[in-house]
Amino acid sequence: MAKKDDKKKSAAKKAKDASGGRKLIAQNKKARHDYHILDTYECGIALMGTEVKSLRQGRASLVDGFAQLDGGEVWLHNVHIPEYAQGTWTNHTARRKRKLLLHRYEIDKLIGKTQETGLTLVPLQLYFLNGRAKVELALAKGKKEYDKRQALREKQDRRESDRAISAARRRQRV
């Protein structure tokens, strides 16, 4: 009986190690369409207790979110974390600005980069890593309309070529 429990525990531990203990909460798919991603940073995020509980329920939206440097600190704006249903008067406001936790050298690097024209900070993902809320922040440059059309065209061409290759392989097997 003890061996079965050990096997279950080791299988669960292997599954957790394979995923890295990372649980995705929200993803900003539109950001990769609208921006050229130049660099990414993993940031901690300072949250209230009710925000963490709401995130554990898997409720958040990064659609209009952006980060801004202010006074040597990085702040996350317009990220929607809905109020916790069982929260009382201690509940948070849904779209308040939240402090991002980065190393000083990363903040200094971002200050230099964002002063260049056309670069902005965009959140790509919000997730839990080993029980701590993290944000994947991207240093990005906005795409022009023709860049977006070109990217869609390339994606469609790649999909069509993959379909043609798989169809040719299927015909060879028969």
Side-chain angles (χ1 to χ4, degrees):
M1 188 80 166
K3 287 185 180 183
K4 286 184 180 179
D5 291 338
D6 290 341
K7 286 182 182 179
K8 287 180 184 178
K9 288 179 185 177
S10 64
K13 188 175 180 181
K14 285 179 186 177
K16 186 176 180 182
D17 290 341
S19 67
R22 186 171 167 159
K23 180 187 171 202
L24 186 65
I25 300 164
Q27 192 172 20
N28 190 355
K29 293 180 181 178
K30 192 175 179 185
R32 295 201 185 268
H33 179 262
D34 291 341
Y35 297 97
H36 291 288
I37 307 299
L38 304 176
D39 201 5
T40 60
Y41 299 90
E42 183 178 75
C43 313
I45 182 169
L47 297 171
M48 296 175 64
T50 54
E51 289 174 317
V52 175
K53 289 179 179 186
S54 184
L55 287 177
R56 290 211 187 276
Q57 293 176 342
R59 301 168 56 206
S61 173
L62 298 174
V63 174
D64 297 329
F66 66 95
Q68 200 170 33
L69 291 145
D70 185 30
E73 295 177 339
V74 184
W75 295 89
L76 189 63
H77 297 269
N78 284 350
V79 171
H80 186 266
I81 300 175
E83 290 185 353
Y84 182 56
Q86 285 80 31
T88 58
W89 57 273
T90 59
N91 230 337
H92 63 279
T93 55
R95 289 199 184 265
R96 73 178 187 93
K97 70 179 192 176
R98 296 164 178 95
K99 186 176 180 179
L100 294 179
L101 309 172
L102 288 159
H103 291 283
R104 173 55 50 196
Y105 68 89
E106 290 176 325
I107 294 173
D108 293 339
K109 189 175 177 181
L110 286 175
I111 289 171
K113 294 281 188 177
T114 54
Q115 288 175 350
E116 294 178 22
T117 58
L119 295 181
T120 187
L121 295 170
V122 180
L124 297 178
Q125 292 181 344
L126 183 60
Y127 54 92
F128 281 109
L129 182 67
N130 298 326
R132 299 184 191 274
K134 302 283 184 178
V135 175
E136 184 179 7
L137 194 66
L139 183 66
K141 184 171 187 163
K143 284 185 181 178
K144 303 287 185 200
E145 197 63 36
Y146 58 84
D147 289 334
K148 294 177 190 177
R149 284 193 300 265
Q150 180 67 25
L152 287 174
R153 194 173 303 119
E154 288 172 1
K155 186 176 178 181
Q156 185 178 4
D157 290 344
R158 200 174 324 116
R159 188 177 299 134
E160 288 175 3
S161 66
D162 289 344
R163 284 182 185 155
I165 290 170
S166 65
R169 286 183 181 160
R170 269 187 257 122
R171 283 191 297 259
Q172 286 177 349
R173 284 188 220 154
V174 175

